[in-house]
Amino acid sequence: QVQLVESGGGLVQAGGSLRVSCAASGRTFSDSVMGWFRQAPGKEREFVAAISRNGGSTYYSDSVKGRFTISRDNAKNTVSLQMNSLKPEDTAVYYCAARERARLIVTTTADYDYWGQGTQVTVSS
């Protein structure tokens, strides 16, 4: 069992930066692919970024590539998403997710086993 708790959301102006983090409990964190998803009002949850078990590989959606950076610290059981050059369309609830014992990065919601409760990110224009 893995529990995920996000933190760091908030309100920021367009062009600004924000960092959201996720703390994971459980002994399988280092064996898990970790991902970030987001869901805006009235829209489906969408993939944002994912990182491999050892942090050596990352993958981003086209909409955030070059602006967001995902990272992880397996010693601290944390994964973070640094968001720069934020746009109003980045406004959403951001969710951390874990796929246990995964060998490859995965990008769909159905691929992930555990989810956090989400943290709100609001970007004003």
Side-chain angles (χ1 to χ4, degrees):
Q1 187 78 11
V2 176
Q3 291 187 323
L4 304 172
V5 179
E6 300 96 337
S7 62
L11 173 65
V12 64
Q13 288 189 332
S17 298
L18 204 59
R19 185 180 182 90
V20 291
S21 296
C22 173
S25 64
R27 292 178 290 180
T28 62
F29 180 80
S30 61
D31 286 337
S32 299
V33 165
M34 299 300 297
W36 284 97
F37 289 74
R38 67 186 182 186
Q39 188 167 18
K43 295 187 176 181
E44 293 188 351
R45 193 169 298 190
E46 66 173 0
F47 170 78
V48 175
I51 189 167
S52 61
R53 293 180 296 179
N54 65 0
S57 297
T58 57
Y59 188 77
Y60 300 91
S61 68
D62 288 342
S63 61
V64 307
K65 195 176 299 180
R67 299 188 297 122
F68 290 11
T69 303
I70 188 172
S71 60
R72 69 187 295 162
D73 185 338
N74 285 348
K76 296 181 179 179
N77 279 17
T78 59
V79 59
S80 298
L81 185 69
Q82 177 66 42
M83 304 181 288
N84 298 330
S85 302
L86 282 161
K87 305 174 182 180
E89 51 264 43
D90 294 319
T91 295
V93 177
Y94 282 70
Y95 296 91
C96 171
R99 166 69 182 260
E100 281 188 306
R101 300 179 180 86
R103 296 181 63 186
L104 301 173
I105 286 179
V106 288
T107 63
T108 66
T109 56
D111 289 324
Y112 286 81
D113 304 305
Y114 301 101
W115 294 84
Q117 82 289 349
T119 186
Q120 177 70 46
V121 171
T122 302
V123 184
S124 63
S125 57

